[in-house]
Amino acid sequence: RGHVRAAARLLVAAIWLALVSGAAISGGVLAASFSGLVIAVLCAGVLLGPRPALLVAVASIAAGAVMLSASSPPPGSPVDIRRQALLAQAVYMLVAAVLLSAVMRAMGAALADARREAQVRREALAKLREAQEGREALIRQLESKNVELEGFNYTVSHDLRSPLVTVKGFVAHLTEDLQAGDSSRAL
């Protein structure tokens, strides 16, 4: 109902908070839930865009730094393991945010190209329809002209036949007169 962006923000925030609190409770940057913060970055990128994805990545790295300074390493683990885990996760999150940003930009450009292409096709279709309507109007005009020409041909034919019939009749009478030897009417 028009609150899609707000719902997406709420979803990303809920995922991020759940994963950060899970990591804080169960081992900090070494916890599996801390690795899951990449999912929060991806969700933010897909649902909200590239900048929010980068923001979630930076917030996740900051949360990891806080966890790193607030807790002590697990017994028997190398001292630098937590810093290495945070660094690795930071790289993963930043790379995910940057790649997602590039993909979203490419998708936006492809969508813009598709919209332009659709507009060009709509305009071409409108021109084709206009040309078709013009062609149909021309066909109607030609049909009307053909009907007029047929009427004219009939009239001309009739008008030309009438004198010819008269001349033919006159010639027939002359022929009869000349055959009968009456040349006085022929002159």
Side-chain angles (χ1 to χ4, degrees), residues 118-128:
Q119 181 62 31
V120 166
R121 288 180 183 216
R122 277 191 295 272
E123 290 170 2
L125 185 59
K127 287 179 183 178
L128 283 173

Side-chain angles (χ1 to χ4, degrees), residues 28-48:
V29 294
L30 295 177
S33 57
F34 188 78
S35 299
L37 286 170
V38 172
I39 294 172
V41 172
L42 293 175
C43 286
V46 169
L47 297 175
L48 300 171

Side-chain angles (χ1 to χ4, degrees), residues 16-28 31-34 67:
W16 187 83
L17 285 172
L19 291 171
V20 167
S21 59
I25 293 170
S26 64
S33 57
F34 188 78
M67 285 183 228

Side-chain angles (χ1 to χ4, degrees), residues 81-166:
I81 191 78
R82 293 179 313 136
R83 276 190 290 250
Q84 291 171 358
L86 177 60
L87 181 61
Q89 291 303 321
V91 169
Y92 300 154
M93 288 181 232
L94 291 174
V95 167
V98 169
L99 287 176
L100 196 57
S101 174
V103 167
M104 297 299 278
R105 260 189 258 121
M107 286 176 54
L111 182 61
D113 288 346
R115 285 182 176 149
R116 279 192 296 276
E117 178 69 22
Q119 181 62 31
V120 166
R121 288 180 183 216
R122 277 191 295 272
E123 290 170 2
L125 185 59
K127 287 179 183 178
L128 283 173
R129 284 184 182 144
E130 185 178 309
Q132 180 68 25
E133 290 170 0
R135 210 171 12 260
E136 289 172 1
L138 183 60
I139 289 170
R140 284 190 297 274
Q141 286 177 345
L142 287 173
E143 288 171 348
S144 172
K145 297 285 184 194
N146 281 341
V147 168
E148 289 177 22
L149 281 174
E150 285 175 7
F152 176 74
N153 284 341
Y154 178 78
T155 303
V156 167
S157 171
H158 183 270
D159 288 352
L160 287 176
R161 276 191 201 147
S162 182
L164 286 176
V165 168
T166 304

